[in-house]
Amino acid sequence: MNSLAEVLHVGSAVGSGAILKRLFVIGYLTAIAVAMLGWLSAFGWITVRVAKWLFA
């Protein structure tokens, strides 16, 4: 075994700051996903309405 190797103790990897940061990222990505689904459904609805208007 190498005599130069040391055991380093690292503080808690899961702190309150890390949890809040993860929750913020999850909330942000969820909001973006919901907004994207809203825009896609709106564009789809508009496309169908315009197609019905043009071909009717």
Side-chain angles (χ1 to χ4, degrees):
M1 187 165 158
N2 190 351
S3 63
L4 297 177
E6 292 183 31
V7 176
L8 297 176
H9 296 285
V10 179
S12 175
V14 181
S16 63
I19 292 173
L20 289 176
K21 190 172 183 180
R22 279 191 188 153
L23 286 176
F24 177 76
V25 169
I26 290 170
Y28 180 74
L29 292 176
T30 302
I32 288 175
V34 169
M36 185 177 3
L37 288 173
W39 278 106
L40 288 174
S41 65
F43 283 134
W45 181 79
I46 290 171
T47 302
V48 169
R49 295 295 291 182
V50 168
K52 283 183 180 179
W53 177 67
L54 285 175
F55 295 122

